[in-house]
Amino acid sequence: MSSRFELAQLNIASMKASLESPVMADFVANLEPINALAERSPGFIWRLQDEAGDATAIRPFGPEVLVNLSVWRDVASLTDFAYRSDHAQMLRRRREWFERLSAMHQVLWWVPEGHRPSMEEGARRLAHLRERGPTPEAFTFRQSFLAPDQARPIATFAETGAE
């Protein structure tokens, strides 16, 4: 069944050095190819980007924190890109470029079809996840929720025919 909702995701990462640093050189060199891979991936819909085609200059969480905000058809599409494409190789190398964050650094949530979330919306969802844990309003890959129009109500005792 097709949904009238799409999956938004925000993740943040605290850089070990500036983008111009030799420490970040491989990350920077792979940014454009990985962004292009995302855009070609089944289920990709939209990603936040500036005039240069990436989001590295957008820093609402501080000068050392990079953000990625995107929209996908569903959790499966984003999972395939993140963990089953060449992006996974970059993910395995993240400790070379980024500090380990003690707080949640990624959040998923459903948006109405065609909606493009703002950075403020993503920040609110991340704060919600950090404060309350996974809920239908803000969740993780590990504990995800169906789109609002896909969730089935739980059958009541009377509806089950049980006596």
Side-chain angles (χ1 to χ4, degrees):
M1 178 173 135
S2 180
S3 176
R4 295 183 328 261
F5 289 85
E6 298 167 337
L7 184 74
Q9 76 80 34
L10 168 72
N11 67 67
I12 63 172
S14 182
M15 296 183 292
K16 289 187 171 183
S18 74
L19 287 176
E20 299 76 28
S21 164
V23 170
M24 299 297 290
D26 273 355
F27 173 79
V28 172
N30 282 285
L31 195 56
E32 189 175 320
I34 293 298
N35 284 337
L37 174 63
E39 291 174 353
R40 291 190 312 271
S41 295
F44 172 84
I45 296 170
W46 172 87
R47 70 181 173 86
L48 178 69
Q49 56 185 305
D50 60 15
E51 300 78 31
D54 66 47
T56 58
I58 302 169
R59 310 269 178 100
F61 293 92
E64 72 288 343
V65 179
L66 296 182
V67 299
N68 177 286
L69 179 63
S70 61
V71 176
W72 295 78
R73 181 180 59 235
D74 50 34
V75 175
S77 298
L78 178 56
T79 299
D80 285 346
F81 166 71
Y83 300 107
R84 295 183 187 106
S85 74
D86 286 345
H87 177 267
Q89 296 170 356
M90 301 302 292
L91 200 54
R92 284 191 286 278
R93 295 182 61 195
R94 68 187 176 274
R95 297 289 172 247
E96 294 177 36
W97 309 304
F98 301 104
E99 302 292 346
R100 181 178 293 274
L101 297 177
S102 58
M104 296 297 293
H105 62 276
Q106 182 178 59
V107 62
L108 309 174
W109 72 99
W110 295 105
V111 296
E113 190 174 32
H115 175 72
R116 300 301 169 247
S118 67
M119 189 55 61
E120 293 77 18
E121 181 181 347
R124 282 193 311 274
R125 298 292 179 141
L126 184 59
H128 179 94
L129 179 64
R130 287 174 172 177
E131 292 166 11
R132 296 184 181 109
T135 68
E137 288 75 35
F139 51 91
T140 65
F141 280 111
R142 185 165 283 144
Q143 187 174 352
S144 63
F145 291 82
L146 293 173
D149 62 351
Q150 304 266 310
R152 289 185 224 132
I154 297 172
T156 64
F157 183 78
E159 292 171 330
T160 64
E163 295 186 18

